[in-house]
Amino acid sequence: NAGVTQTPKFQVLKTGQSMTLQCAQDMNHEYMSWYRQDPGMGLRLIHYSVGAGITDQGEVPNGYNVSRSTTEDFPLRLLSAAPSQTSVYFCASSYKGGISPLHFGNGTRLTVT
Amino acid sequence: AQSVSQHNHHVILSEAASLELGCNYSYGGTVNLFWYVQYPGQHLQLLLKYFSGDPLVKGIKGFEAEFIKSKFSFNLRKPSVQWSDTAEYFCAVGTSNTGKLIFGQGTTLQVKP
């Protein structure tokens, strides 16, 4: 089925560990993005990409890295996990950033202890 | 930089009551405006969007929103809410020149049967 696939669904990390959240879409969307959702804060944009080879910072980029080597994939790397990164992470894609509606993945619930 | 503010954080209504959720944005150029809904345990779904033309936009499930350019507002309305409308609602603003889509803090709507 066409859509945005995120893995894993759940993850527990210890402070200082690193990990990569995977995101793939099969809709040939130009735009991909990562958000974190925290109670009372809404969704905050971490990083986004308007096409393969192009990435840019969002509202809360510190502590995260991204790359976009292919149109389909947009992994999010946590370099050294901190308790403040405990959150629900959503990957989303759209045909064209800022204009087209977003298609969301099912989310990754990350806990950092 | 673009930003979005939602005034109401938590709204409680009885079934059949009318709903209006406020959304204001800040951006000096042309914007595209969206309302998304997140039902418990699910990811975000698009309710409606505004790009240009008629400032009164109709969406799914009887929702509508009005774009008032002079007030930088895009308020969501529904004449008569149902228990099944219990969810979190997010306003978002996108711009074609940055490609970013920024969300507001969200409004939790609780509808009592």
Side-chain angles (χ1 to χ4, degrees), chain A residues 6-8 11 13 19-23 34 46 64 74-78 88-90 108-110:
Chain A
Q6 264 184 259
T7 56
Q11 183 72 49
L13 291 177
M19 79 159 295
T20 299
L21 306 185
Q22 301 291 345
C23 177
W34 278 101
I46 304 171
Y64 307 94
F74 192 47
L76 177 72
R77 296 181 191 85
L78 280 71
V88 180
Y89 291 84
F90 287 99
T108 298
R109 186 173 293 275
L110 175 68

Side-chain angles (χ1 to χ4, degrees), chain B residues 6 36 51 103 107:
Chain B
Q6 293 181 239
Y36 286 83
F51 293 161
F103 285 83
T107 297

Side-chain angles (χ1 to χ4, degrees), chain A residues 31 35 37 48 98-99 102 106, chain B residues 32 36 38 43 51 99 101:
Chain A
Y31 180 84
Y35 292 88
Q37 184 176 21
Y48 66 103
I99 294 179
L102 288 172
N106 286 329
Chain B
N32 305 299
Y36 286 83
Q38 185 178 32
H43 58 69
F51 293 161
L101 191 70

